[in-house]
Amino acid sequence: MDEGCGSCVTVGIMGRCCFGVVSIAVLCFAALVSYGAEGYPAEDLVVELPGQPKVGFKQFAGYIDVDVKNGRSLFYYFVEAEKNPEKKPLALWLNGGPGCSSVGGGAFTELGPFFPTGDGRALRRNSMSWNRASNILFVESPAGVGWSYSETASDYTTGDAKTANDMYIFLLKWYEKFPEFKSRELFLTGESYAGHYIPQLAEVLLDHNARSTGFKFNIKGVAIGNPLLRLNRDIPATYEFFWSHGMISDEIGLKIMNECQFDDYTFANPHNVTDSCNEALTQANIIVGSFIDNYDVILDICYPSIVEQELRLRKLATKISVGVDVCMSYERSYYFNLPEVQKALHANRTNLPYAWSMCTGGLEYSDTDANMDMLPILKKIIKNHIPVWVFSGDEDSVVPLLGSRTLVRELAHDLNLKITVPYGAWFHRSQVGGWVTEYGNLLTFATVRGAAHMVPYSQPSRALHLFSSFVRGRRLPNSTRIPTED
């Protein structure tokens, strides 16, 4: 509270307004109205999160009602670009699952401006936040994920089509709250099962553009990390990864190759494969065991019972492995369940009868949708002259680069796209950032060296370089000026 003021209100960048004098109160009200009229909804402004470092950019959070009749609403968190936000594009980020939070994952564990502190009670700056390159929008989708909800129980039985349509309605209504972004360049990004979410959303937006005589989405690119694109290539790639990294024996690896026909593999158990194949897959999973993080086989694991006790005792739960805090997800979950944090984010407005969690068990998400082949939709996107980047952390065994690279090459072949950048190393800070190839100036496949399934989480600097290149329409650099030999 400012000295000498009876009561104050913070009005974003307008500073503090004290209502000691009527004329000042009138000016303050005018400032609030003006602030909202500029395309920034004052009611969604996040003034400051508990324990947050001071920053110069604005952040907003709140709800968009996508189905008023059913009471279905999606929660979002939006952060302005760090510098010159009025000149930067808008990037949407979605995590996968299906059923995992983009706010918890993308925003507060991977690529957003803040990470939780080791005691789960405050925040620290992420110096490699993607808002250095773009304005970023995170959405908890579908309803039932995180703080997104519905007042109609049947809405928790859902699938890809409904998720894409809700996100379409969300974006239309979000633009009503932030009208200055309507004409801004839009980049659609995400990871994992967002390999389904993002292409299908892009298709819905393109269909809107084709029939609209007015507003059109200004889609400038699609980028998906370690994405599920087609089961019959992504699933066998997991077991190829296990074998090539010495995580299963030759005998088990050969048994899987000989016994399993993955062409008919389905997401739901028993996966539509033979008993002998299922037995081989089970044996492989047992050998790999639970003491390895399948999302990054290099990182050590965090033990929940230990970290949860440390958080309760106000101790630091941080455990560093290869430069990464492998307990960050527990620290974040603790932070998100603090009442003062939910209040600051305008979250949990209906007092949900369960705690916030990264991935929900309350959804009945279609098993059959995961079987869909995403390549035809990516083909449609590229035919609309929208660049598509597929990037892969090379330490991920869940959706390994081995499958994604093959699928991108197949997509390029189907589109008759010629190689415009031969497969080779790309560089960041005079070191190899990964390997990259490009087809027809529209389709790019890139690996990120030393990265997990969640690329920005384990390789933040390389991930930011990749994202910045993507939104700026630049190729990843294929050389370094610093000599490596005398």
Side-chain angles (χ1 to χ4, degrees), residues 363-423:
L363 280 180
E364 290 186 29
Y365 204 93
S366 170
D367 281 335
T368 57
D369 284 357
N371 303 332
M372 288 195 294
D373 181 359
M374 290 296 105
L375 265 58
I377 300 179
L378 291 177
K379 189 174 181 179
K380 178 178 177 179
I381 294 166
I382 292 168
K383 282 186 172 181
N384 276 270
H385 305 288
I386 295 170
V388 170
W389 284 35
V390 175
F391 60 95
S392 290
D394 60 13
E395 302 299 343
D396 175 31
S397 72
V398 177
V399 187
L401 72 92
L402 300 168
S404 301
R405 182 174 59 187
T406 302
L407 291 169
V408 169
R409 188 177 70 247
E410 181 180 320
L411 178 59
H413 181 267
D414 287 348
L415 286 162
N416 198 28
L417 298 178
K418 305 303 180 185
I419 294 174
T420 44
V421 174
Y423 200 94

Short mmCIF file of all heavy atoms in Angstrom, two decimals, residues 363-423:
data_model
loop_
_atom_site.label_atom_id
_atom_site.label_comp_id
_atom_site.label_asym_id
_atom_site.label_seq_id
_atom_site.Cartn_x
_atom_site.Cartn_y
_atom_site.Cartn_z
N LEU A 363 -10.67 -37.73 -17.53
CA LEU A 363 -11.17 -37.69 -18.91
C LEU A 363 -11.35 -39.10 -19.45
O LEU A 363 -10.55 -40.00 -19.17
CB LEU A 363 -10.18 -36.96 -19.82
CG LEU A 363 -10.16 -35.44 -19.84
CD1 LEU A 363 -9.10 -34.96 -20.80
CD2 LEU A 363 -11.51 -34.87 -20.22
N GLU A 364 -12.40 -39.28 -20.23
CA GLU A 364 -12.52 -40.48 -21.05
C GLU A 364 -12.22 -40.06 -22.48
O GLU A 364 -13.11 -39.66 -23.23
CB GLU A 364 -13.93 -41.07 -20.92
CG GLU A 364 -14.21 -41.70 -19.57
CD GLU A 364 -15.55 -42.39 -19.52
OE1 GLU A 364 -16.02 -42.87 -20.59
OE2 GLU A 364 -16.15 -42.45 -18.44
N TYR A 365 -10.93 -40.12 -22.83
CA TYR A 365 -10.51 -39.64 -24.14
C TYR A 365 -10.49 -40.80 -25.12
O TYR A 365 -10.03 -41.90 -24.80
CB TYR A 365 -9.12 -39.00 -24.06
CG TYR A 365 -8.88 -38.01 -25.17
CD1 TYR A 365 -9.15 -36.65 -24.99
CD2 TYR A 365 -8.41 -38.42 -26.41
CE1 TYR A 365 -8.96 -35.74 -26.02
CE2 TYR A 365 -8.22 -37.52 -27.44
CZ TYR A 365 -8.49 -36.18 -27.24
OH TYR A 365 -8.31 -35.28 -28.26
N SER A 366 -10.96 -40.57 -26.31
CA SER A 366 -11.11 -41.61 -27.32
C SER A 366 -9.81 -42.36 -27.57
O SER A 366 -8.78 -41.76 -27.91
CB SER A 366 -11.58 -40.98 -28.64
OG SER A 366 -11.52 -41.92 -29.69
N ASP A 367 -9.85 -43.68 -27.41
CA ASP A 367 -8.70 -44.52 -27.73
C ASP A 367 -8.48 -44.62 -29.23
O ASP A 367 -7.36 -44.73 -29.70
CB ASP A 367 -8.88 -45.93 -27.16
CG ASP A 367 -8.58 -46.00 -25.68
OD1 ASP A 367 -7.82 -45.15 -25.20
OD2 ASP A 367 -9.10 -46.91 -25.01
N THR A 368 -9.55 -44.57 -29.97
CA THR A 368 -9.44 -44.77 -31.42
C THR A 368 -8.83 -43.55 -32.12
O THR A 368 -8.20 -43.68 -33.17
CB THR A 368 -10.81 -45.09 -32.04
OG1 THR A 368 -11.72 -44.03 -31.74
CG2 THR A 368 -11.36 -46.39 -31.48
N ASP A 369 -9.00 -42.36 -31.54
CA ASP A 369 -8.45 -41.17 -32.18
C ASP A 369 -6.93 -41.23 -32.27
O ASP A 369 -6.33 -40.70 -33.21
CB ASP A 369 -8.87 -39.91 -31.42
CG ASP A 369 -10.32 -39.54 -31.69
OD1 ASP A 369 -10.96 -40.23 -32.50
OD2 ASP A 369 -10.81 -38.57 -31.09
N ALA A 370 -6.31 -41.86 -31.28
CA ALA A 370 -4.84 -41.96 -31.29
C ALA A 370 -4.33 -42.80 -32.45
O ALA A 370 -3.16 -42.71 -32.83
CB ALA A 370 -4.35 -42.54 -29.97
N ASN A 371 -5.21 -43.60 -33.05
CA ASN A 371 -4.81 -44.45 -34.18
C ASN A 371 -4.72 -43.67 -35.49
O ASN A 371 -4.20 -44.17 -36.49
CB ASN A 371 -5.82 -45.59 -34.38
CG ASN A 371 -5.97 -46.45 -33.14
OD1 ASN A 371 -5.05 -46.58 -32.34
ND2 ASN A 371 -7.14 -47.04 -32.97
N MET A 372 -5.25 -42.45 -35.51
CA MET A 372 -5.33 -41.70 -36.77
C MET A 372 -3.95 -41.29 -37.28
O MET A 372 -3.05 -40.95 -36.51
CB MET A 372 -6.20 -40.45 -36.59
CG MET A 372 -7.67 -40.74 -36.45
SD MET A 372 -8.70 -39.27 -36.66
CE MET A 372 -8.21 -38.30 -35.25
N ASP A 373 -3.82 -41.31 -38.58
CA ASP A 373 -2.61 -40.88 -39.28
C ASP A 373 -2.68 -39.38 -39.49
O ASP A 373 -3.60 -38.86 -40.12
CB ASP A 373 -2.53 -41.62 -40.62
CG ASP A 373 -1.29 -41.29 -41.43
OD1 ASP A 373 -0.47 -40.47 -40.96
OD2 ASP A 373 -1.15 -41.85 -42.53
N MET A 374 -1.69 -38.64 -38.97
CA MET A 374 -1.69 -37.19 -39.08
C MET A 374 -1.05 -36.68 -40.37
O MET A 374 -1.15 -35.50 -40.70
CB MET A 374 -0.97 -36.57 -37.89
CG MET A 374 -1.71 -36.69 -36.57
SD MET A 374 -3.29 -35.76 -36.58
CE MET A 374 -4.44 -37.13 -36.72
N LEU A 375 -0.41 -37.56 -41.12
CA LEU A 375 0.30 -37.09 -42.32
C LEU A 375 -0.62 -36.45 -43.36
O LEU A 375 -0.25 -35.41 -43.96
CB LEU A 375 1.10 -38.23 -42.95
CG LEU A 375 2.58 -38.30 -42.53
CD1 LEU A 375 2.72 -38.44 -41.02
CD2 LEU A 375 3.31 -39.43 -43.24
N PRO A 376 -1.83 -36.99 -43.62
CA PRO A 376 -2.70 -36.31 -44.59
C PRO A 376 -3.06 -34.88 -44.18
O PRO A 376 -3.19 -34.00 -45.05
CB PRO A 376 -3.94 -37.21 -44.62
CG PRO A 376 -3.43 -38.57 -44.24
CD PRO A 376 -2.38 -38.29 -43.20
N ILE A 377 -3.22 -34.64 -42.88
CA ILE A 377 -3.54 -33.28 -42.43
C ILE A 377 -2.32 -32.37 -42.58
O ILE A 377 -2.44 -31.22 -43.02
CB ILE A 377 -4.06 -33.29 -40.98
CG1 ILE A 377 -5.33 -34.15 -40.87
CG2 ILE A 377 -4.33 -31.87 -40.50
CD1 ILE A 377 -5.90 -34.25 -39.47
N LEU A 378 -1.13 -32.88 -42.22
CA LEU A 378 0.08 -32.10 -42.43
C LEU A 378 0.28 -31.79 -43.91
O LEU A 378 0.73 -30.69 -44.28
CB LEU A 378 1.30 -32.85 -41.88
CG LEU A 378 1.37 -33.00 -40.36
CD1 LEU A 378 2.58 -33.84 -39.96
CD2 LEU A 378 1.43 -31.64 -39.67
N LYS A 379 -0.09 -32.73 -44.75
CA LYS A 379 -0.02 -32.53 -46.20
C LYS A 379 -0.91 -31.36 -46.63
O LYS A 379 -0.51 -30.50 -47.43
CB LYS A 379 -0.44 -33.82 -46.91
CG LYS A 379 -0.23 -33.85 -48.40
CD LYS A 379 -0.55 -35.25 -48.93
CE LYS A 379 -0.31 -35.34 -50.43
NZ LYS A 379 -0.61 -36.71 -50.93
N LYS A 380 -2.12 -31.31 -46.08
CA LYS A 380 -3.05 -30.23 -46.38
C LYS A 380 -2.49 -28.88 -45.93
O LYS A 380 -2.61 -27.87 -46.63
CB LYS A 380 -4.40 -30.50 -45.71
CG LYS A 380 -5.45 -29.41 -45.91
CD LYS A 380 -6.76 -29.81 -45.25
CE LYS A 380 -7.82 -28.71 -45.36
NZ LYS A 380 -9.10 -29.13 -44.74
N ILE A 381 -1.88 -28.86 -44.75
CA ILE A 381 -1.31 -27.62 -44.21
C ILE A 381 -0.21 -27.11 -45.14
O ILE A 381 -0.15 -25.92 -45.48
CB ILE A 381 -0.77 -27.86 -42.79
CG1 ILE A 381 -1.92 -28.17 -41.82
CG2 ILE A 381 0.02 -26.65 -42.29
CD1 ILE A 381 -1.47 -28.74 -40.49
N ILE A 382 0.68 -28.01 -45.54
CA ILE A 382 1.79 -27.63 -46.41
C ILE A 382 1.29 -27.16 -47.78
O ILE A 382 1.83 -26.22 -48.36
CB ILE A 382 2.79 -28.80 -46.54
CG1 ILE A 382 3.48 -29.03 -45.19
CG2 ILE A 382 3.83 -28.53 -47.63
CD1 ILE A 382 4.27 -30.32 -45.11
N LYS A 383 0.23 -27.80 -48.28
CA LYS A 383 -0.34 -27.38 -49.57
C LYS A 383 -0.93 -25.98 -49.49
O LYS A 383 -1.11 -25.32 -50.52
CB LYS A 383 -1.41 -28.38 -50.02
CG LYS A 383 -0.83 -29.65 -50.62
CD LYS A 383 -1.92 -30.54 -51.19
CE LYS A 383 -1.33 -31.71 -51.96
NZ LYS A 383 -2.38 -32.57 -52.56
N ASN A 384 -1.20 -25.51 -48.28
CA ASN A 384 -1.64 -24.13 -48.07
C ASN A 384 -0.44 -23.19 -47.85
O ASN A 384 -0.62 -22.05 -47.41
CB ASN A 384 -2.60 -24.04 -46.88
CG ASN A 384 -4.03 -24.38 -47.25
OD1 ASN A 384 -4.80 -23.51 -47.63
ND2 ASN A 384 -4.37 -25.66 -47.16
N HIS A 385 0.76 -23.69 -48.18
CA HIS A 385 2.00 -22.91 -48.12
C HIS A 385 2.33 -22.44 -46.71
O HIS A 385 2.89 -21.36 -46.52
CB HIS A 385 1.93 -21.73 -49.09
CG HIS A 385 1.61 -22.12 -50.50
ND1 HIS A 385 2.51 -22.78 -51.31
CD2 HIS A 385 0.47 -21.99 -51.22
CE1 HIS A 385 1.94 -23.03 -52.48
NE2 HIS A 385 0.71 -22.57 -52.46
N ILE A 386 1.97 -23.27 -45.73
CA ILE A 386 2.31 -22.99 -44.34
C ILE A 386 3.48 -23.89 -43.94
O ILE A 386 3.38 -25.12 -44.04
CB ILE A 386 1.10 -23.25 -43.42
CG1 ILE A 386 -0.02 -22.26 -43.74
CG2 ILE A 386 1.50 -23.15 -41.95
CD1 ILE A 386 -1.33 -22.57 -43.06
N PRO A 387 4.60 -23.31 -43.52
CA PRO A 387 5.76 -24.12 -43.13
C PRO A 387 5.44 -25.02 -41.94
O PRO A 387 4.75 -24.61 -41.00
CB PRO A 387 6.82 -23.08 -42.75
CG PRO A 387 6.38 -21.81 -43.42
CD PRO A 387 4.88 -21.87 -43.44
N VAL A 388 5.95 -26.23 -41.99
CA VAL A 388 5.79 -27.19 -40.89
C VAL A 388 7.17 -27.62 -40.43
O VAL A 388 8.00 -28.06 -41.23
CB VAL A 388 4.97 -28.42 -41.33
CG1 VAL A 388 5.01 -29.52 -40.27
CG2 VAL A 388 3.52 -28.04 -41.63
N TRP A 389 7.42 -27.48 -39.13
CA TRP A 389 8.65 -27.98 -38.51
C TRP A 389 8.29 -29.11 -37.56
O TRP A 389 7.38 -28.98 -36.73
CB TRP A 389 9.35 -26.87 -37.72
CG TRP A 389 10.09 -25.86 -38.55
CD1 TRP A 389 9.73 -25.38 -39.78
CD2 TRP A 389 11.31 -25.19 -38.20
NE1 TRP A 389 10.65 -24.45 -40.21
CE2 TRP A 389 11.62 -24.31 -39.27
CE3 TRP A 389 12.15 -25.23 -37.09
CZ2 TRP A 389 12.76 -23.50 -39.25
CZ3 TRP A 389 13.27 -24.42 -37.06
CH2 TRP A 389 13.58 -23.57 -38.13
N VAL A 390 9.00 -30.23 -37.69
CA VAL A 390 8.92 -31.32 -36.72
C VAL A 390 10.29 -31.40 -36.07
O VAL A 390 11.30 -31.54 -36.74
CB VAL A 390 8.58 -32.66 -37.41
CG1 VAL A 390 8.63 -33.80 -36.40
CG2 VAL A 390 7.20 -32.59 -38.07
N PHE A 391 10.31 -31.27 -34.72
CA PHE A 391 11.60 -31.32 -34.03
C PHE A 391 11.56 -32.41 -32.96
O PHE A 391 10.51 -32.70 -32.38
CB PHE A 391 11.97 -29.96 -33.43
CG PHE A 391 11.01 -29.38 -32.43
CD1 PHE A 391 11.20 -29.57 -31.06
CD2 PHE A 391 9.91 -28.64 -32.84
CE1 PHE A 391 10.32 -29.02 -30.14
CE2 PHE A 391 9.03 -28.08 -31.92
CZ PHE A 391 9.24 -28.28 -30.57
N SER A 392 12.73 -33.01 -32.70
CA SER A 392 12.80 -34.16 -31.82
C SER A 392 13.97 -34.07 -30.87
O SER A 392 15.12 -33.95 -31.32
CB SER A 392 12.93 -35.46 -32.63
OG SER A 392 11.75 -35.76 -33.32
N GLY A 393 13.70 -34.15 -29.57
CA GLY A 393 14.76 -34.36 -28.60
C GLY A 393 15.29 -35.77 -28.76
O GLY A 393 14.52 -36.72 -28.83
N ASP A 394 16.62 -35.91 -28.83
CA ASP A 394 17.16 -37.22 -29.21
C ASP A 394 17.38 -38.17 -28.04
O ASP A 394 17.89 -39.28 -28.23
CB ASP A 394 18.46 -37.06 -30.01
CG ASP A 394 19.57 -36.33 -29.26
OD1 ASP A 394 19.45 -36.15 -28.03
OD2 ASP A 394 20.56 -35.94 -29.91
N GLU A 395 16.95 -37.77 -26.82
CA GLU A 395 17.03 -38.68 -25.67
C GLU A 395 15.67 -39.22 -25.28
O GLU A 395 15.51 -39.83 -24.23
CB GLU A 395 17.67 -37.95 -24.47
CG GLU A 395 19.06 -37.40 -24.73
CD GLU A 395 20.09 -38.46 -25.10
OE1 GLU A 395 19.82 -39.66 -24.86
OE2 GLU A 395 21.14 -38.11 -25.65
N ASP A 396 14.68 -39.02 -26.13
CA ASP A 396 13.30 -39.44 -25.84
C ASP A 396 13.05 -40.82 -26.41
O ASP A 396 13.26 -41.06 -27.60
CB ASP A 396 12.33 -38.43 -26.48
CG ASP A 396 10.88 -38.85 -26.34
OD1 ASP A 396 10.54 -39.52 -25.35
OD2 ASP A 396 10.09 -38.50 -27.24
N SER A 397 12.56 -41.72 -25.56
CA SER A 397 12.20 -43.06 -26.03
C SER A 397 10.70 -43.21 -26.22
O SER A 397 10.23 -44.24 -26.71
CB SER A 397 12.70 -44.12 -25.04
OG SER A 397 11.94 -44.12 -23.84
N VAL A 398 9.92 -42.20 -25.82
CA VAL A 398 8.46 -42.30 -25.90
C VAL A 398 7.97 -42.06 -27.32
O VAL A 398 7.19 -42.85 -27.87
CB VAL A 398 7.80 -41.33 -24.90
CG1 VAL A 398 6.29 -41.37 -25.03
CG2 VAL A 398 8.22 -41.67 -23.47
N VAL A 399 8.41 -40.97 -27.92
CA VAL A 399 8.17 -40.73 -29.35
C VAL A 399 9.53 -40.36 -29.95
O VAL A 399 9.86 -39.19 -30.13
CB VAL A 399 7.15 -39.61 -29.61
CG1 VAL A 399 6.81 -39.54 -31.10
CG2 VAL A 399 5.86 -39.83 -28.81
N PRO A 400 10.34 -41.35 -30.27
CA PRO A 400 11.73 -41.08 -30.66
C PRO A 400 11.84 -40.47 -32.05
O PRO A 400 10.94 -40.58 -32.90
CB PRO A 400 12.38 -42.47 -30.64
CG PRO A 400 11.41 -43.37 -29.94
CD PRO A 400 10.05 -42.78 -30.18
N LEU A 401 13.00 -39.86 -32.30
CA LEU A 401 13.26 -39.25 -33.60
C LEU A 401 13.27 -40.30 -34.71
O LEU A 401 13.02 -39.97 -35.89
CB LEU A 401 14.59 -38.49 -33.58
CG LEU A 401 15.88 -39.31 -33.53
CD1 LEU A 401 16.43 -39.59 -34.93
CD2 LEU A 401 16.94 -38.59 -32.72
N LEU A 402 13.55 -41.55 -34.38
CA LEU A 402 13.65 -42.60 -35.39
C LEU A 402 12.36 -42.74 -36.20
O LEU A 402 12.39 -42.94 -37.41
CB LEU A 402 13.98 -43.95 -34.73
CG LEU A 402 15.29 -44.00 -33.93
CD1 LEU A 402 15.35 -45.26 -33.09
CD2 LEU A 402 16.48 -43.92 -34.88
N GLY A 403 11.23 -42.61 -35.52
CA GLY A 403 9.95 -42.69 -36.23
C GLY A 403 9.61 -41.38 -36.91
O GLY A 403 9.19 -41.37 -38.08
N SER A 404 9.79 -40.26 -36.21
CA SER A 404 9.42 -38.95 -36.76
C SER A 404 10.18 -38.63 -38.03
O SER A 404 9.62 -38.13 -39.01
CB SER A 404 9.67 -37.85 -35.72
OG SER A 404 8.93 -38.10 -34.54
N ARG A 405 11.48 -38.93 -38.04
CA ARG A 405 12.30 -38.65 -39.22
C ARG A 405 11.81 -39.43 -40.43
O ARG A 405 11.71 -38.89 -41.53
CB ARG A 405 13.76 -38.99 -38.92
CG ARG A 405 14.71 -38.70 -40.08
CD ARG A 405 16.16 -38.92 -39.66
NE ARG A 405 16.39 -40.29 -39.20
CZ ARG A 405 17.54 -40.71 -38.65
NH1 ARG A 405 18.53 -39.85 -38.47
NH2 ARG A 405 17.69 -41.96 -38.27
N THR A 406 11.47 -40.70 -40.23
CA THR A 406 10.95 -41.54 -41.31
C THR A 406 9.63 -40.99 -41.84
O THR A 406 9.41 -40.92 -43.06
CB THR A 406 10.75 -42.98 -40.82
OG1 THR A 406 11.99 -43.48 -40.34
CG2 THR A 406 10.23 -43.87 -41.93
N LEU A 407 8.76 -40.56 -40.94
CA LEU A 407 7.45 -40.05 -41.34
C LEU A 407 7.57 -38.73 -42.10
O LEU A 407 6.84 -38.49 -43.06
CB LEU A 407 6.55 -39.91 -40.12
CG LEU A 407 6.11 -41.23 -39.47
CD1 LEU A 407 5.46 -40.97 -38.12
CD2 LEU A 407 5.17 -41.99 -40.39
N VAL A 408 8.49 -37.86 -41.67
CA VAL A 408 8.70 -36.60 -42.38
C VAL A 408 9.22 -36.87 -43.78
O VAL A 408 8.78 -36.23 -44.76
CB VAL A 408 9.66 -35.68 -41.59
CG1 VAL A 408 10.10 -34.49 -42.44
CG2 VAL A 408 8.99 -35.19 -40.31
N ARG A 409 10.15 -37.80 -43.90
CA ARG A 409 10.65 -38.15 -45.24
C ARG A 409 9.54 -38.71 -46.12
O ARG A 409 9.43 -38.37 -47.31
CB ARG A 409 11.79 -39.16 -45.11
CG ARG A 409 12.50 -39.43 -46.45
CD ARG A 409 13.68 -40.38 -46.30
NE ARG A 409 13.26 -41.74 -46.00
CZ ARG A 409 13.47 -42.37 -44.87
NH1 ARG A 409 14.08 -41.75 -43.87
NH2 ARG A 409 13.08 -43.62 -44.71
N GLU A 410 8.69 -39.53 -45.54
CA GLU A 410 7.55 -40.08 -46.30
C GLU A 410 6.59 -38.98 -46.74
O GLU A 410 6.10 -38.98 -47.87
CB GLU A 410 6.82 -41.11 -45.43
CG GLU A 410 5.63 -41.77 -46.12
CD GLU A 410 4.93 -42.77 -45.22
OE1 GLU A 410 5.64 -43.51 -44.49
OE2 GLU A 410 3.68 -42.82 -45.25
N LEU A 411 6.35 -38.02 -45.84
CA LEU A 411 5.47 -36.89 -46.17
C LEU A 411 6.06 -36.07 -47.31
O LEU A 411 5.34 -35.67 -48.24
CB LEU A 411 5.28 -36.02 -44.93
CG LEU A 411 4.44 -34.76 -45.07
CD1 LEU A 411 3.03 -35.08 -45.53
CD2 LEU A 411 4.40 -34.00 -43.73
N ALA A 412 7.36 -35.83 -47.27
CA ALA A 412 8.03 -35.08 -48.34
C ALA A 412 7.91 -35.81 -49.66
O ALA A 412 7.66 -35.18 -50.72
CB ALA A 412 9.49 -34.86 -47.99
N HIS A 413 8.05 -37.13 -49.62
CA HIS A 413 7.93 -37.94 -50.84
C HIS A 413 6.52 -37.85 -51.42
O HIS A 413 6.33 -37.69 -52.63
CB HIS A 413 8.30 -39.39 -50.53
CG HIS A 413 8.24 -40.29 -51.73
ND1 HIS A 413 7.10 -41.02 -52.04
CD2 HIS A 413 9.17 -40.57 -52.68
CE1 HIS A 413 7.33 -41.72 -53.14
NE2 HIS A 413 8.57 -41.47 -53.55
N ASP A 414 5.51 -37.94 -50.54
CA ASP A 414 4.11 -37.86 -51.00
C ASP A 414 3.81 -36.52 -51.65
O ASP A 414 3.00 -36.43 -52.57
CB ASP A 414 3.16 -38.08 -49.82
CG ASP A 414 3.12 -39.53 -49.37
OD1 ASP A 414 3.64 -40.40 -50.10
OD2 ASP A 414 2.57 -39.79 -48.28
N LEU A 415 4.45 -35.45 -51.13
CA LEU A 415 4.23 -34.10 -51.66
C LEU A 415 5.17 -33.77 -52.82
O LEU A 415 5.10 -32.68 -53.38
CB LEU A 415 4.42 -33.07 -50.54
CG LEU A 415 3.31 -32.98 -49.50
CD1 LEU A 415 3.80 -32.27 -48.25
CD2 LEU A 415 2.09 -32.27 -50.08
N ASN A 416 6.06 -34.73 -53.14
CA ASN A 416 7.06 -34.52 -54.19
C ASN A 416 7.94 -33.30 -53.89
O ASN A 416 8.27 -32.52 -54.79
CB ASN A 416 6.38 -34.37 -55.56
CG ASN A 416 7.35 -34.59 -56.71
OD1 ASN A 416 8.33 -35.34 -56.58
ND2 ASN A 416 7.11 -33.93 -57.83
N LEU A 417 8.31 -33.15 -52.62
CA LEU A 417 9.18 -32.05 -52.21
C LEU A 417 10.64 -32.50 -52.28
O LEU A 417 10.99 -33.55 -51.76
CB LEU A 417 8.86 -31.60 -50.78
CG LEU A 417 7.46 -31.05 -50.51
CD1 LEU A 417 7.31 -30.72 -49.03
CD2 LEU A 417 7.18 -29.83 -51.36
N LYS A 418 11.45 -31.72 -52.92
CA LYS A 418 12.86 -32.03 -53.04
C LYS A 418 13.63 -31.51 -51.82
O LYS A 418 13.21 -30.57 -51.14
CB LYS A 418 13.45 -31.40 -54.31
CG LYS A 418 12.71 -31.79 -55.58
CD LYS A 418 12.67 -33.30 -55.78
CE LYS A 418 11.92 -33.67 -57.07
NZ LYS A 418 11.77 -35.15 -57.20
N ILE A 419 14.78 -32.12 -51.57
CA ILE A 419 15.61 -31.69 -50.44
C ILE A 419 16.19 -30.31 -50.74
O ILE A 419 16.85 -30.11 -51.76
CB ILE A 419 16.75 -32.69 -50.18
CG1 ILE A 419 16.17 -34.03 -49.70
CG2 ILE A 419 17.73 -32.14 -49.15
CD1 ILE A 419 17.20 -35.14 -49.55
N THR A 420 15.91 -29.36 -49.85
CA THR A 420 16.45 -28.01 -50.01
C THR A 420 17.57 -27.73 -49.01
O THR A 420 18.35 -26.79 -49.21
CB THR A 420 15.34 -26.94 -49.86
OG1 THR A 420 14.50 -27.28 -48.75
CG2 THR A 420 14.47 -26.89 -51.11
N VAL A 421 17.63 -28.50 -47.92
CA VAL A 421 18.76 -28.47 -47.00
C VAL A 421 19.15 -29.91 -46.72
O VAL A 421 18.39 -30.64 -46.07
CB VAL A 421 18.41 -27.74 -45.68
CG1 VAL A 421 19.57 -27.87 -44.68
CG2 VAL A 421 18.10 -26.27 -45.92
N PRO A 422 20.31 -30.37 -47.22
CA PRO A 422 20.73 -31.76 -46.96
C PRO A 422 20.90 -32.01 -45.47
O PRO A 422 21.23 -31.11 -44.70
CB PRO A 422 22.07 -31.86 -47.69
CG PRO A 422 22.09 -30.73 -48.66
CD PRO A 422 21.28 -29.64 -48.04
N TYR A 423 20.66 -33.25 -45.06
CA TYR A 423 20.76 -33.61 -43.64
C TYR A 423 22.15 -33.32 -43.12
O TYR A 423 23.15 -33.78 -43.67
CB TYR A 423 20.44 -35.10 -43.47
CG TYR A 423 20.04 -35.49 -42.06
CD1 TYR A 423 18.71 -35.54 -41.69
CD2 TYR A 423 21.01 -35.82 -41.11
CE1 TYR A 423 18.33 -35.89 -40.40
CE2 TYR A 423 20.64 -36.19 -39.82
CZ TYR A 423 19.30 -36.22 -39.47
OH TYR A 423 18.94 -36.58 -38.20
#
